[in-house]
Amino acid sequence: MSYLLSAAKLQSYYRCPRAYYFRYERRLESAAFFGSAALGTSLHQALAQIYQDWHYQDPIPRWDWFEYCWNQQVGDLTSSQITEGRSILRRYYHTFITTQSAMRRPVAVEGRIQGCLRVDNLEFTLSGRYDRLDYLDDGLELIDYKSAKEIEPSEPDEIDLQIGLYYLALEQRYQRSLKRLSLLYLRTGEKISFEATPAHREQVESVVSDLAVELRRDRRWQPFPGAQCDRCAYARYCPAMRPDPDPLPDDARPEPGLQLVLSL
Ligand code: SF4
């Protein structure tokens, strides 16, 4: 039995083991986020099609190709979203395509990657999704499209864990190193890149190793109070927030730890 980890889970554990426990071990609902993701989804799908289906016989596609792919993906968008998406793609085209001598064929688009890590006799599967994976001369570049209206401030440690997870998984799958993770902000045309090094993989190994100890032996899930508590959905259950925290709701998943250990 393998314990499944994603970048979001690793980041959550790193931020606060107790919140991780509530969310992933006891499966308590976190606050739901609402909002229209439809435009972002259509943009991701259009970009995947643009790179996936292009014939690569001409160095650079004409704008018509982008327009064609966009029109395939507009689905149920409103007319103003269709117009907005088209102008976002146009900016992308002029910023990232026409400035190059050729549009390079990616290794893969809209992919899922998995890596394995065995720690303390527990097997972890590290799983992640990516929007695009490109070859560089000396390794791989992972591209993550961002369609949010504003550039999200990224916590350095959290980005590092994301990089480390991909570093480990890509190394196992392609026997090549991840050199860069690049966040590409579609609305502003900005590209923010982070260099990847073996130290990122080692950081992930260290966090997974802590988690293994927690799962195997400690099960303390120590609260780690900080700025994140202000928006934590589990504060009412948290002993660091209240001397007498609420009991967990009846539909919380039973403690799964013993079962995990016994099944190995
Ligand atoms: S309130 Fe703070 S310390 Fe408690 S679980 Fe949430 S993030 Fe962790």
Side-chain angles (χ1 to χ4, degrees), residues 6-54:
S6 61
K9 286 178 84 173
L10 273 180
Q11 289 162 346
S12 165
Y13 180 75
Y14 186 81
R15 263 196 305 270
C16 174
R18 180 60 67 125
Y20 178 96
Y21 165 77
F22 290 139
R23 173 84 178 86
Y24 295 109
E25 291 289 295
R26 306 303 301 274
R27 298 273 164 84
L28 299 191
E29 290 292 326
S30 61
F33 290 99
F34 295 101
S36 171
L39 176 57
T41 303
S42 293
L43 284 166
H44 278 69
Q45 287 169 343
L47 283 163
Q49 186 185 357
I50 285 164
Y51 282 91
Q52 178 97 44
D53 294 353
W54 174 242

Side-chain angles (χ1 to χ4, degrees), residues 15-20 22 222-226 228-230 232-235 238-241:
R15 263 196 305 270
C16 174
R18 180 60 67 125
Y20 178 96
F22 290 139
Q222 198 71 37
F224 189 64
Q228 72 272 15
C229 299
D230 289 345
C232 176
Y234 312 114
C238 176
M241 292 293 108

Side-chain angles (χ1 to χ4, degrees), residues 136-187:
L136 299 173
D137 293 339
D138 57 348
L140 298 165
E141 179 178 18
L142 207 136
I143 309 281
D144 207 2
Y145 300 126
K146 298 285 186 191
S147 53
K149 288 210 165 117
E150 289 172 8
I151 294 184
E152 304 150 11
S154 305
E155 293 292 334
D157 282 335
E158 297 192 1
I159 284 281
D160 286 348
L161 286 172
Q162 190 181 357
I163 294 170
L165 183 146
Y166 286 114
Y167 193 104
L168 189 142
L170 290 169
E171 197 174 46
Q172 289 180 3
R173 167 80 169 75
Y174 291 100
Q175 288 79 50
R176 293 179 73 123
S177 297
L178 177 66
K179 290 289 167 195
R180 262 201 312 264
L181 167 69
S182 294
L183 308 181
L184 223 148
Y185 287 87
L186 299 176
R187 287 172 189 271

Side-chain angles (χ1 to χ4, degrees), residues 59-72:
I60 293 213
R62 292 179 5 178
W63 165 251
D64 302 3
W65 171 243
F66 274 60
E67 177 105 53
Y68 169 80
C69 293
W70 176 239
N71 289 336
Q72 302 285 302

